[in-house]
Amino acid sequence: MEDDNVLAGLIRDYSDALSDRRRLQALLLDFFPQDKRKRNLLLIAFDDGIVDEMRGLAQIDKMILHRFVRSIEQGYDVRTKSAETAVKAWAKAMGLSMDGEEGQKEEAPVSMGEQIAPSKKEWVPCESNSLYEYEETSRGLRILKYADFDEPVVVVPNIIEGKKVIAVGNYAFKGCVGIEKVIVSEGIEILGNGAFLNCRGLKEVSLPETLRGIGSTDATGCPKILGSEIKYEGAFEYSGLESINVPKGVKYVGENSFAGCSQLKRAVLPDTLKEIRENTFRWCKSLVEIVFPQELDIIRISAFEGCDDLQTVDLPEGMTSIEEGAFAGCKSLESIYIPDSVIEIGGGKGTGFLKTFGEPKERHADFTIRCNLGSYALQYARAQQIRCIQA
């Protein structure tokens, strides 16, 4: 990625480039039309929140560079060298000095006026009197187990014995049925699989702005009912949550994350989340409101299956695919808006026996697809004999 001056010019000449992802994507296509890989790497750094954070910095030292690179590596499965190249390209384009080099952040290339975002707020050290089992990783501590008695309110610390906590590991609070509220301290970036599994009394959780991932790709070893695939137990699966607001920095929400949360009524997902994964809200019988990501691309298999109280759904423009069983068993669902950008309904890697909106006898009597003339959704509705109207 040798075109730092070109990227700097893009930032300087287009004041909305760093505040509108679609605009940035279009500009990158204009400036680097033959290099899809370069465009994707630059967009990944933008989507990861790295560019926003850079706008609040004067320079990038080795620790900050390492953190940025690791974030891209872990979140997007990008090689170290490629991730570092993308981070350095943005840093140079924004006039940031690196690795102790002289120089300051230059004002001219950025020229964002009112659109310059404030720097990320610093997290405040928060220790705890509660007992935890933990292990050290290369980036900080990972909490392995909450080893104390259940309290109504638990604050998950970001410091233990003077060392920074970076993650809450798999099953750390599993079965803590007496906990009613959890406050996850700023600075923590990952919640593991099953972190709060079966915490039936847990009604409220406060998640930090530093959080990047809920669940992980580590296998739990539990086989699925069908097939030989691995089942990932969700971070809050079968908990008593009544609402959830996922912070904007989260780029990965794992399978089953909120499955079986029968009291969950409202869920807000961050705009930059690309997919709602398999079974994410399955059997959330009380769910009535879901705020979808504006950049959502795909809803995976059975993501909202069995959400009995869901009545109306408006999918965001730009998404392309709704997989099989995504809204099966939503017996109160009266209507769903499907945008023109959707070109696949019912695809996926499942067994194929689940219809996207369930069997006809399972649907609301007046279930309707709202769409536009000429859209794939209209073709699908006709083929499946589902009532459709103009959006």
Side-chain angles (χ1 to χ4, degrees):
M1 205 168 296
E2 306 166 353
D3 304 272
D4 306 320
N5 290 334
V6 176
L7 188 58
L10 180 155
I11 298 171
R12 181 187 61 245
D13 296 335
Y14 299 91
S15 61
D16 60 345
L18 300 187
S19 60
D20 185 335
R21 185 188 186 278
R22 294 184 188 276
R23 174 66 163 158
L24 176 62
Q25 187 175 23
L27 288 169
L28 289 176
L29 181 60
D30 289 341
F31 280 87
F32 306 110
Q34 304 301 321
D35 200 333
K36 181 178 180 180
R37 180 173 175 274
K38 182 183 296 184
R39 297 197 306 269
N40 287 342
L41 285 169
L42 291 170
L43 274 174
I44 283 172
F46 179 84
D47 291 339
D48 199 48
I50 289 171
V51 176
D52 268 348
E53 188 166 348
M54 282 183 180
R55 288 190 283 178
L57 300 175
Q59 63 179 7
I60 295 181
D61 59 26
K62 291 182 179 179
M63 290 300 294
I64 294 175
L65 176 64
H66 175 72
R67 177 163 61 85
F68 286 163
V69 170
R70 287 286 290 169
S71 182
I72 293 177
E73 279 183 297
Q74 293 180 344
Y76 298 89
D77 195 25
V78 173
R79 292 182 178 180
T80 302
K81 186 175 181 180
S82 297
E84 184 174 328
T85 302
V87 171
K88 286 185 174 181
W90 275 113
K92 290 178 182 178
M94 298 175 75
L96 298 177
S97 61
M98 301 181 63
D99 298 328
E101 296 174 358
E102 292 185 0
Q104 297 180 341
K105 184 178 178 181
E106 298 174 4
E107 297 294 334
V110 183
S111 188
M112 298 296 294
E114 294 297 324
Q115 312 224 1
I116 295 180
S119 61
K120 267 190 177 177
K121 76 175 184 182
E122 294 293 328
W123 56 271
V124 177
C126 174
E127 297 210 45
S128 171
N129 292 326
S130 297
L131 301 177
Y132 295 92
E133 295 177 11
Y134 60 88
E135 66 178 0
E136 292 195 40
T137 73
S138 59
R139 298 185 61 212
L141 300 185
R142 178 191 291 120
I143 291 175
L144 299 178
K145 185 178 181 180
Y146 177 68
D148 212 337
F149 292 103
D150 292 2
E151 296 289 342
V153 179
V154 171
V155 177
V156 181
N158 53 32
I159 295 288
I160 295 179
E161 296 184 356
K163 297 178 181 179
K164 185 176 185 244
V165 177
I166 197 72
V168 178
N170 296 349
Y171 309 112
F173 289 82
K174 179 182 177 180
C176 292
V177 297
I179 297 175
E180 299 176 7
K181 179 178 180 179
V182 168
I183 301 170
V184 183
S185 297
E186 292 291 336
I188 293 176
E189 298 182 13
I190 300 170
L191 300 181
N193 295 325
F196 298 93
L197 177 68
N198 291 333
C199 292
R200 296 191 301 273
L202 180 60
K203 299 182 183 300
E204 181 181 355
V205 63
S206 174
L207 300 176
E209 293 180 11
T210 52
L211 194 66
R212 294 302 179 92
I214 298 176
S216 72
T217 56
D218 297 332
T220 64
C222 299
K224 287 184 179 292
I225 295 174
L226 297 171
S228 59
E229 297 179 24
I230 298 300
K231 180 180 185 297
Y232 302 103
E233 292 187 292
F236 295 94
E237 190 170 359
Y238 294 113
S239 71
L241 285 181
E242 296 180 349
S243 67
I244 185 68
N245 192 331
V246 180
K248 63 181 181 180
V250 172
K251 57 180 178 288
Y252 179 87
V253 176
E255 298 177 9
N256 303 286
S257 286
F258 306 101
C261 293
S262 59
Q263 305 303 311
L264 188 67
K265 296 179 177 61
R266 184 173 190 265
V268 179
L269 299 176
D271 279 344
T272 54
L273 196 68
K274 304 297 182 187
E275 61 180 298
I276 298 177
R277 297 181 66 84
E278 182 175 343
N279 303 331
T280 299
F281 294 97
R282 193 181 192 188
W283 300 319
C284 291
K285 298 181 180 297
S286 301
L287 187 65
V288 294
E289 182 183 0
I290 174 77
V291 178
F292 289 95
Q294 289 303 303
E295 296 177 18
L296 183 65
D297 181 55
I298 185 169
I299 297 177
R300 297 287 183 188
I301 298 169
S302 297
F304 294 93
E305 182 184 352
C307 291
D308 289 353
D309 289 350
L310 199 60
Q311 296 182 2
T312 303
V313 169
D314 292 299
L315 299 180
E317 303 291 340
M319 67 173 295
T320 62
S321 178
I322 309 169
E323 290 190 347
E324 61 194 65
F327 295 93
C330 296
K331 59 186 181 182
S332 298
L333 186 62
E334 296 181 13
S335 74
I336 182 169
Y337 167 68
I338 302 179
D340 295 356
S341 54
V342 170
I343 56 174
E344 182 181 49
I345 300 175
K349 299 179 181 179
T351 60
F353 71 90
L354 272 179
K355 293 186 179 295
T356 302
F357 302 102
E359 297 294 336
K361 63 183 179 181
E362 300 173 329
R363 301 173 194 152
H364 189 281
D366 297 322
F367 176 63
T368 301
I369 289 178
R370 291 175 284 123
C371 57
N372 294 313
L373 288 174
S375 66
Y376 177 82
L378 178 59
Q379 299 176 38
Y380 174 85
R382 293 280 167 77
Q384 297 296 320
Q385 300 182 43
I386 296 173
R387 181 172 179 260
C388 57
I389 62 173
Q390 178 73 36

